[in-house]
Amino acid sequence: MTAAARWVGKEVVRKDAYEKARGLTKYASDMFPENLLWVATHRSKYPHARIKRIDVSKALKMPGVVAVFTHRDVPNNRYGVFVKDRPVLCDDRVRYIGDPIALVAAETKEDAESAVEEIEVDYEPLPVVTDPIEAMKDSSYPIHDGGNVSRRTRITFGDVSKGFSQSKAVVENEYRTSTQIHAFLETEAGISYIDEKGRITVVAGGQSPYRDQHEIVSTLNLPPEKVRVIIPQVGGAFGGKDDISVQIHLALVTWKTGRPARLVWDREESFLSGTKRHPSIVKMKTGASADGRLMANDVEIIYDTGAYVALGHAVLDVAIENCNGPYKIPNIDIKAWLVYTNNMVASAFRGFGAPQVIFAMEQQVDQLAKELGMDPVEFRLLNALRRGDVMVFGNRLETSVGIAKCLEAAKNTPLWSRQADFKAVKTYPWIKRGVGVAAAVKGYTIGALPDRGTISVELLLDGGIAVKGSFTEIGQGVVQSVSQIAAELFSVDIDKVEIVFADTDKTPDTSVTSASRQLFLAGNALKEAAKNMIKHVAQFIEKTYNIKVDNLRFENGYVVGRDFKISFSELANAMARSGVEREVSGTYEVPRVQPIPGSLEIPHLFYMFGVSLALVEVNTLTGAVSVPKLVSIADVGKVINPQTLTGQLEGAAAQGIGYALLEDPKIENGILKTTNLSTYLIPSIKDIPEIEVIPVEDAEESGPFGAKGIGEIGIISVAPAIANAIYDAVGVRPKSTPMTPEKIYWLLKNKC
Ligand code: MOS
């Protein structure tokens, strides 16, 4: 099919590129409805406290203030996808700095911001718990009823002690990873208004219009048909817009006042109150036999979810699922805990629990290879998962497994095969160069819950098609990829494809744009829609023209059968005249894998794989590490748009470099000290090396044109590849992120 492809796999310029490059695209934060109310949020001043009294009377008397809202205005004041533990507005207690307590709606931004300061809250401070290990103890102050361990899981198979006794090399280490802030260009932002049909309409950055709608109607106790959610172009999400931010607050203001509203978090609010990547403590004892086979992995995983669970239960299960890396290990004992603290709320972030455990595992693997005197890539290849192998949750891999191909590709890159040449390059005597490798696996699609998506296609009177789905354009390029798949399936020019996305009023539910799932789901649903359209059109033609059709297909803007040909526009007009429906939908549901007892996460059926290679330079005087070259190899199935793939992998590599080296949140007693991009440093162009992107196209036969997901795989192996490269350069291993100059400096100092 792809051999003759016109659109799939081609370098088609993104339709939204031109407008975005010129700054014309309207994001939610660019929207200013007429007569709007500006909303500001009063947030907790304590990381943990009982609320004794909330007094809004002074704020209400401030100039321009129209209304002030507290928990008393919220009918069902708890929400959350897995656990309803999070208040829309805090009532009896605050659990982290930044927890929202009240909203002010005023005529101007300044009015709202001044009045929010006048809200009086009496607190009774409670013990602050910020260390997850302390939080787990029975003696620790409970942040929620039921204690601070929100989820605990243990997965075992085989016998680890037997595995270790069969091992020649055993390494045991503790790794720690820090929180990571998404730092998207556009902070959490939205507007709301009553639409022409009288519905409360929220237009806000997000990753799932239907789930946002559900959270709004269930907390405000409204019928779903009264609330509409639209997600316009979003200025970055990376998982950070998977959870509710401004949506319920906006709906509340418009519901109670009848007026449009606007709520845009500033950078500091985004840093404090947006969700984060889970900080982790991962202990691993890993063994390998004399001939280089991984024999056992004994693992303890502690993820700090902060004040609320958000998507943490699923994140923890993804951590368990991926903690062995892309390797077959016969004996495992994995214990995992998701723990409440008074830190910022952790939830989804690109990789969704995998980067932390892979940071640990890929360093374990490197140490084992070294102890056994084996080449690190050969060691990984020997242990690499193959089709038919069993994964952590006991499920058998029955879909595409491209890790061996990724490792072969890594072996063949000059950076690996001629690494001595790279390392021999002389700069200054105090600069040492090293090369490191790391591999990764991650399931795509949801896994834990039923996972289905619907797309509809409408034949337009001008001969084009409109493709409708609730996927969201968070910068990743799904609108473009869906356009290319639609143009291919319906055999029309790409300019004839109109995409309508992410509007609960206009688009069917394609479910969440996360878990690297949306291209796969939307593409497969489109395939169903195309089949259904053929059936629908065949019926119409047979009835209208009184002829028998068979082998009906789409061909260059025509519907073609034996002895029959009609253009899309003629057909659409004929259907319109007859009053026949021109919109047809298709649904794809991910086949489910049987869970093993004790795991919330139904194991994934589909996995993507990747390998990163990093060249580092370590300044032995200052401890500073730079990355002059990075190779990102990813098995993403068939590539739909090569530019989009490159964009995803380069972006992920940059974010991975930030996680590894730069992003250093300073948190003291639950209080974030680095509340802006001037102190929380993300990579700038000068920190980003030449990134070589190598797609490995191991087609997934059940994917659209063989495609898998791309979104997350690129980031996962970056930090451990850099860690391994640092060891290669200077013989020290930081075992924690970020690998700052200070950390490396002291390791080097203590080494000699
Ligand atoms: Mo993602 S981290 O599943 O939005």
Side-chain angles (χ1 to χ4, degrees):
M1 204 166 198
T2 12
R6 255 182 88 197
W7 304 106
V8 162
K10 298 292 190 292
E11 292 269 0
V12 185
V13 175
R14 273 173 73 152
K15 276 195 209 174
D16 58 2
Y18 192 58
E19 288 215 328
K20 282 184 170 171
R22 290 192 300 161
L24 300 175
T25 304
K26 288 270 179 264
Y27 298 86
S29 45
D30 297 317
M31 296 175 185
F32 300 86
E34 266 192 43
N35 195 32
L36 70 84
L37 289 170
W38 296 78
V39 184
T41 313
H42 185 91
R43 299 181 183 281
S44 169
K45 306 268 187 281
Y46 287 82
H48 199 192
R50 221 172 278 293
I51 296 177
K52 307 297 283 180
R53 184 182 70 104
I54 305 172
D55 186 348
V56 302
S57 53
K58 269 195 203 148
L60 267 171
K61 288 187 203 124
M62 292 287 287
V65 171
V66 171
V68 179
F69 300 103
T70 66
H71 65 92
R72 287 182 282 267
D73 301 294
V74 184
N76 301 318
N77 195 29
R78 289 290 183 280
Y79 70 97
V81 173
F82 294 104
V83 186
K84 292 199 182 303
D85 62 354
R86 197 164 184 185
V88 175
L89 292 166
C90 295
D91 34 53
D92 59 337
R93 207 153 146 185
V94 290
R95 295 180 171 86
Y96 75 106
I97 291 270
D99 229 355
I101 299 170
L103 302 168
V104 171
E107 297 293 348
T108 69
K109 186 168 189 273
E110 293 72 22
D111 289 345
E113 283 169 359
S114 314
V116 105
E117 299 296 324
E118 299 302 319
I119 289 168
E120 291 173 4
V121 181
D122 291 347
Y123 300 95
E124 178 193 317
L126 293 170
V128 177
V129 186
T130 57
D131 177 351
I133 292 179
E134 283 301 313
M136 284 165 72
K137 293 181 180 159
D138 287 340
S139 56
S140 172
Y141 194 92
I143 295 163
H144 290 269
D145 299 343
N148 294 334
V149 176
S150 174
R151 179 169 174 72
R152 104 179 57 218
T153 306
R154 183 173 184 183
I155 300 290
T156 57
F157 62 74
D159 175 350
V160 282
S161 47
K162 199 179 102 207
F164 289 125
S165 69
Q166 293 164 341
S167 297
K168 167 109 186 292
V170 175
V171 294
E172 189 171 0
N173 288 289
E174 180 182 303
Y175 301 88
R176 291 188 179 228
T177 62
S178 48
T179 194
Q180 188 180 20
I181 302 177
H182 303 78
F184 17 64
L185 273 179
E186 185 193 33
T187 59
E188 295 81 349
I191 59 155
S192 53
Y193 54 87
I194 306 286
D195 78 355
E196 63 290 350
K197 291 186 188 157
R199 287 168 303 192
I200 300 160
T201 303
V202 173
V203 184
Q207 295 180 230
S208 177
Y210 281 92
R211 194 161 72 193
D212 293 350
Q213 180 197 42
H214 171 80
E215 299 282 44
I216 294 168
V217 300
S218 59
T219 49
L220 302 187
N221 206 12
L222 294 165
E225 59 278 8
K226 285 296 284 180
V227 174
R228 175 180 178 189
V229 173
I230 299 170
I231 300 184
Q233 290 270 0
V234 181
F238 315 115
K241 291 174 186 169
D242 224 351
D243 289 271
I244 286 293
S245 58
V246 297
Q247 295 86 346
I248 304 174
H249 292 171
L250 279 167
L252 175 65
V253 172
T254 290
W255 176 42
K256 295 284 183 174
T257 64
R259 284 181 60 179
R262 173 181 159 90
L263 177 50
V264 178
W265 287 1
D266 62 26
R267 186 59 67 184
E268 187 171 333
E269 286 183 292
S270 174
F271 271 36
L272 292 174
S273 300
T275 58
K276 306 285 172 286
R277 189 185 299 289
H278 290 78
S280 77
I281 301 167
V282 178
K283 292 182 196 166
M284 276 190 184
K285 183 179 173 189
T286 315
S289 63
D291 61 352
R293 303 254 171 210
L294 286 165
M295 296 310 295
N297 206 13
D298 191 347
V299 184
E300 284 182 26
I301 300 168
I302 299 168
Y303 277 19
D304 173 2
T305 197
Y308 303 104
V309 162
L311 298 172
H313 285 192
V315 171
L316 188 74
D317 283 8
V318 166
I320 298 165
E321 188 180 32
N322 295 292
C323 73
N324 278 350
Y327 311 112
K328 190 160 110 167
I329 309 181
N331 306 294
I332 60 172
D333 187 348
I334 301 162
K335 302 181 200 77
W337 295 265
L338 187 79
V339 184
Y340 284 124
T341 63
N342 295 116
N343 294 322
M344 296 175 293
V345 183
S347 191
F349 193 147
R350 199 180 213 165
F352 205 84
Q356 297 95 321
V357 288
I358 298 276
F359 180 72
M361 183 59 185
E362 281 300 305
Q363 294 189 68
Q364 292 287 95
V365 163
D366 244 44
Q367 291 165 74
L368 288 171
K370 184 147 189 67
E371 283 202 15
L372 295 170
M374 290 178 67
D375 174 89
V377 172
E378 293 298 345
F379 181 85
R380 286 172 170 85
L381 256 174
L382 184 66
N383 290 287
L385 287 167
R386 315 261 165 177
R387 211 181 261 241
D389 286 343
V390 172
M391 288 288 286
V392 168
F393 284 126
N395 54 309
R396 204 167 280 284
L397 279 170
E398 286 160 347
T399 56
S400 152
V401 181
I403 183 60
K405 283 190 194 170
C406 290
L407 288 162
E408 292 290 349
K411 219 161 73 172
N412 294 328
T413 58
L415 184 56
W416 192 258
S417 61
R418 300 206 325 263
Q419 54 180 289
D421 297 350
F422 284 89
K423 287 191 261 190
V425 171
K426 288 276 173 271
T427 48
Y428 297 99
W430 54 87
I431 301 284
K432 301 274 184 250
R433 288 187 147 209
V435 174
V437 63
V441 53
K442 166 128 198 339
Y444 59 103
T445 76
I446 297 286
L449 304 161
D451 191 3
R452 73 174 76 84
T454 300
I455 294 283
S456 67
V457 178
E458 182 186 353
L459 296 176
L460 301 175
L461 298 178
D462 69 356
I465 58 172
V467 176
K468 306 172 187 183
S470 75
F471 45 85
T472 69
E473 181 52 66
I474 51 183
Q476 84 282 41
V478 73
V479 165
Q480 182 63 29
S481 308
V482 167
S483 303
Q484 287 179 226
I485 291 172
E488 198 72 53
L489 288 169
F490 286 83
S491 190
V492 291
D493 196 272
I494 195 115
D495 294 333
K496 288 285 194 187
V497 180
E498 182 191 316
I499 303 281
V500 182
F501 64 91
D503 179 340
T504 55
D505 190 39
K506 291 187 176 159
T507 59
D509 191 357
T510 329
S511 193
V512 295
T513 298
S514 55
S516 307
R517 70 182 278 291
Q518 198 50 271
L519 168 84
F520 187 80
L521 266 286
N524 274 340
L526 249 175
K527 273 182 2 194
E528 291 304 309
K531 276 190 227 157
N532 294 340
M533 184 64 90
I534 288 282
K535 281 186 220 149
H536 181 66
V537 167
Q539 269 180 8
F540 173 76
I541 292 171
E542 291 191 348
K543 207 169 147 209
T544 311
Y545 305 100
N546 201 21
I547 53 168
K548 193 95 194 92
V549 296
D550 61 359
N551 191 24
L552 208 63
R553 62 197 182 275
F554 303 121
E555 225 173 79
N556 296 322
Y558 288 82
V559 176
V560 180
R562 197 173 31 128
D563 314 322
F564 185 85
K565 187 173 180 179
I566 186 171
S567 74
F568 275 30
S569 70
E570 267 183 275
L571 175 67
N573 282 286
M575 287 171 121
R577 281 194 301 273
S578 313
V580 167
E581 181 63 68
R582 282 177 289 124
E583 186 164 324
V584 164
S585 69
T587 296
Y588 174 76
E589 177 145 9
V590 177
R592 300 182 79 184
V593 179
Q594 276 310 308
I596 60 166
S599 81
L600 163 95
E601 184 88 357
I602 292 171
H604 287 84
L605 177 59
F606 300 111
Y607 297 88
M608 34 188 187
F609 298 88
V611 172
S612 298
L613 296 167
L615 171 68
V616 301
E617 284 187 349
V618 181
N619 182 325
T620 54
L621 301 178
T622 65
V625 178
S626 66
V627 184
K629 187 170 171 62
L630 197 120
V631 182
S632 174
I633 302 167
D635 163 32
V636 294
K638 285 288 172 193
V639 176
I640 302 296
N641 181 316
Q643 276 187 329
T644 302
L645 175 98
T646 303
Q648 281 276 22
L649 293 180
E650 287 184 350
Q655 219 160 27
I657 290 170
Y659 188 46
L661 299 175
L662 292 168
E663 300 182 34
D664 194 7
K666 300 285 187 211
I667 303 165
E668 288 167 21
N669 204 30
I671 302 169
L672 180 71
K673 299 287 176 182
T674 48
T675 54
N676 219 318
L677 291 165
S678 54
T679 46
Y680 180 84
L681 302 181
I682 60 170
S684 72
I685 193 68
K686 290 182 80 175
D687 303 301
I688 307 300
E690 177 197 338
I691 298 167
E692 188 183 344
V693 164
I694 304 178
V696 166
E697 296 189 277
D698 196 67
E700 170 50 49
E701 50 271 36
S702 50
F705 297 95
K708 300 185 177 183
I710 314 176
E712 297 166 287
I713 191 66
I715 194 171
I716 302 172
S717 55
V718 175
I722 291 172
N724 290 336
I726 292 171
Y727 185 84
D728 186 51
V730 289
V732 300
R733 202 170 266 292
K735 296 184 205 164
S736 66
T737 66
M739 296 175 274
T740 56
E742 192 182 14
K743 211 179 268 176
I744 308 283
Y745 174 86
W746 285 111
L747 284 170
L748 288 171
K749 194 99 177 158
N750 293 332
K751 186 187 160 207
C752 38

